[in-house]
Amino acid sequence: MDKNDRNHVKYRAQGARNGIEILIVGAIGLVLIMGFNLLRPDKISIVEVFLVSACIGAIFIGFLKTQEPFYSLILSESKLIYQHKYGAWHLFQSNFSYSGIPKVEDGVEYIELNTVGIKVNDIDEFLASLSPRIAGKLLIEQRHLFMQAVQKHCKNGHCPSEWLIEDTQYTSQRGISYNGLIAMFANRTRHLRLLTGYDLLLPASVLDRDIWAFSANLNKWKQNPSQFIATQSK
């Protein structure tokens, strides 16, 4: 964090909470069940097999939760930081245009995607700081959201091939060329902009509140970062 960004607001994803507690409960339950079976000669019952499976599942889920960053999002006076277990990306406040909830047309209605969309002013500035590792992970993790938008525009079964195949070459409107995972991510942002009006997505799973409330917070932060952070810190 920059020296000028000592004041900030941190958000912890709902899905990353209680990881240690779940892991400990699962481990204790497993030890108790195994110890109980060692002390009695009877065969293991179906109920005990189910309880052992549940404990192992709890240990696995708890372990996965502990691998997630403690804070998924940080808002400082100058930028928004998204932290992922495979890296992070940041978006400067000056490069943030607005946020909202992406919608896709479904006949006469519009269906909301369970994510917060972000419109970027200069995609080249954002891509310059994006690492291939996190770009690749986000391409995979967010593909289901992208495909939801694509499917609503391809009801007749005919979709542009570039929507379905991630191209490894990309040239921005400013003439900057990209290749590999960064190019694939850039092409995804271009398609998202066409389909939804937004460049980046923050899925509900990385937020600590509903998508509408968080989107409203981002827009308030855009208008006056220092004031927003001061009110959130009280």
Side-chain angles (χ1 to χ4, degrees):
M1 191 70 66
D2 296 339
K3 291 182 179 179
N4 296 329
D5 285 337
R6 292 177 181 176
N7 296 326
H8 51 265
V9 180
K10 296 179 178 180
Y11 299 90
R12 190 177 185 195
Q14 291 282 0
R17 296 181 178 181
N18 304 318
I20 295 177
E21 292 85 348
I22 294 174
L23 193 154
I24 292 175
V25 169
I28 292 175
L30 183 62
V31 170
L32 290 176
I33 294 171
M34 298 303 292
F36 177 75
N37 278 281
L38 289 174
L39 295 175
R40 69 188 183 96
D42 298 342
K43 294 182 179 180
I44 298 176
S45 67
I46 297 297
V47 173
E48 290 168 336
V49 171
F50 173 78
L51 291 175
V52 168
S53 299
C55 289
I56 294 174
I59 293 171
F60 180 70
I61 292 173
F63 173 76
L64 291 179
K65 284 177 173 284
T66 60
Q67 303 309 297
E68 298 293 334
F70 194 82
Y71 294 109
S72 57
L73 294 158
I74 301 174
L75 277 175
S76 71
E77 293 188 9
S78 69
K79 59 189 171 183
L80 161 67
I81 301 173
Y82 169 47
Q83 299 191 127
H84 190 281
K85 62 182 176 182
Y86 292 105
W89 60 247
H90 69 263
L91 180 67
F92 286 106
Q93 184 265 352
S94 58
N95 198 22
F96 178 98
S97 181
Y98 59 85
S99 70
I101 310 304
K103 298 178 181 179
V104 291
E105 188 176 358
D106 186 17
V108 296
E109 299 180 346
Y110 282 88
I111 305 298
E112 295 177 355
L113 301 183
N114 194 26
T115 183
V116 172
I118 296 176
K119 182 71 174 67
V120 176
N121 292 322
D122 184 350
I123 195 64
D124 287 305
E125 179 183 305
F126 175 81
L127 294 174
S129 63
L130 186 69
S131 72
R133 188 175 187 225
I134 188 174
K137 292 298 179 181
L138 292 179
L139 283 170
I140 296 171
E141 292 179 2
Q142 298 181 5
R143 183 168 176 79
H144 70 287
L145 292 169
F146 175 64
M147 291 308 298
Q148 286 181 41
V150 168
Q151 289 168 5
K152 298 302 180 183
H153 285 76
C154 302
K155 291 184 178 180
N156 59 2
H158 300 289
C159 290
S161 59
E162 62 267 23
W163 288 3
L164 305 177
I165 301 174
E166 309 284 3
D167 194 351
T168 57
Q169 300 294 324
Y170 174 80
T171 301
S172 70
Q173 293 183 345
R174 292 166 57 184
I176 301 176
S177 297
Y178 303 88
N179 54 56
L181 288 172
I182 300 299
M184 293 169 69
F185 190 92
N187 280 304
R188 173 74 61 83
T189 65
R190 179 167 59 90
H191 301 327
L192 278 172
R193 190 183 314 120
L194 176 64
L195 294 169
T196 68
Y198 298 97
D199 302 287
L200 305 176
L201 301 178
L202 290 176
S205 59
V206 306
L207 309 178
D208 70 340
R209 63 200 68 195
D210 70 72
I211 54 178
W212 282 100
F214 190 80
S215 176
N217 277 355
L218 285 181
N219 288 321
K220 291 176 183 177
W221 168 75
K222 167 61 180 180
Q223 295 300 318
N224 194 326
S226 58
Q227 181 180 2
F228 172 77
I229 291 174
T231 57
Q232 295 294 306
S233 301
K234 292 180 179 179

